Amino acid sequence: MLTNEKIKEIITATAENAESLRRRPQKCGCFHCLRIFSTTDLDEDNIYRASSGQQYSVCEYCGHDALLCEDDLGGAAPFNEETLKMFHDYAYAY
């Protein structure tokens, strides 16, 4: 079950996800625009390099760095739009 604490833990762990997204083909999704796609759709154009040296993968569709892979969930929840919506609601709560 995904609690707010677990969602925060996953978001923190995947903050610098550029390399993890390229490890193997898998489902990937953006918890900003809620699109689901394959990590194989990402390429060098989807890597943002911050001045600090950190690398982030950004969404193919909306350009936000709110990506999550199926592996990132570690079986805590199914990888679907509903789960992405939970991450969206947590991350963008106003």
Side-chain angles (χ1 to χ4, degrees), residues 2 7 34 36 77-89:
L2 283 176
I7 290 171
L34 306 179
I36 294 177
F79 193 87
N80 57 30
E81 190 174 317
E82 182 178 323
T83 299
L84 288 177
K85 178 85 168 89
M86 291 174 69
F87 277 79
H88 175 92
D89 291 348

Side-chain angles (χ1 to χ4, degrees), residues 10-23 26 28-31 39 42 46-48 54-59 64-69 72:
I10 292 170
I11 289 174
T12 301
T14 61
E16 289 183 59
N17 62 358
E19 287 305 314
S20 67
L21 288 173
R22 294 197 239 177
R23 280 192 207 129
Q26 62 182 304
C28 180
C30 176
F31 57 87
T39 56
L42 299 171
N46 300 105
I47 303 294
Y48 169 75
Q54 293 176 314
Q55 294 184 20
Y56 305 92
S57 291
V58 295
C59 178
H64 281 83
D65 66 342
L67 298 184
L68 186 66
C69 288
D72 296 332

